[in-house]
Amino acid sequence: MLSSLPVDLKKVDSKNIDKEIARVGMIAELDAVSFYEQLAAMATDSNLKKVLLDIAKEEKTHMAEFETMLLKLDNEQIQENIKAKEEIKKLTE
Ligand SMILES: [Fe+2]
């Protein structure tokens, strides 16, 4: 959904380029989810609203595809996700 890159990929070294591309993909898909949900909230035609919400759901799949790729490429992110789950568990118990 983003029409321009939120980061300058030319400044990313070759070791990290694929991780950064996956992150940019995640950002774009999350933006698309928000965009279509906002349009759905404004739509007055119920069928259009359904279509927009279905598209928003598909964008969530796309986001998860980039997230899955990032986790294949970035072991540090996997470790941080484990820490985050522990922190959230402590905070919400
Ligand atoms: Fe998408």
Side-chain angles (χ1 to χ4, degrees):
M1 188 56 61
L2 298 174
S3 60
S4 61
L5 292 170
V7 294
D8 184 355
L9 291 175
K10 289 179 198 140
K11 293 180 179 173
V12 178
D13 65 50
S14 59
K15 187 181 84 176
N16 291 314
I17 191 71
D18 289 334
K19 293 179 220 174
E20 199 60 29
I21 289 170
R23 292 183 191 114
V24 169
M26 290 171 69
I27 291 167
E29 298 303 339
L30 287 170
D31 185 61
V33 170
S34 179
F35 180 78
Y36 289 120
E37 287 185 347
Q38 288 178 62
L39 288 179
M42 290 187 290
T44 59
D45 181 88
S46 63
N47 285 328
L48 179 58
K49 186 181 288 274
K50 281 182 197 171
V51 169
L52 288 162
L53 290 174
D54 185 64
I55 292 170
K57 190 174 174 184
E58 290 171 9
E59 302 301 353
K60 290 179 183 180
T61 302
H62 298 165
M63 201 295 295
E65 289 173 335
F66 282 120
E67 182 181 35
T68 300
M69 283 308 303
L70 178 62
L71 294 176
K72 280 173 155 283
L73 298 164
D74 189 350
N75 190 54
E76 185 175 78
Q77 186 63 64
I78 293 172
Q79 301 309 313
E80 294 306 314
N81 285 9
I82 292 167
K83 284 187 201 170
K85 284 180 187 169
E86 290 166 359
E87 283 182 32
I88 294 299
K89 188 177 179 188
K90 281 182 197 164
L91 288 169
T92 58
E93 281 181 346

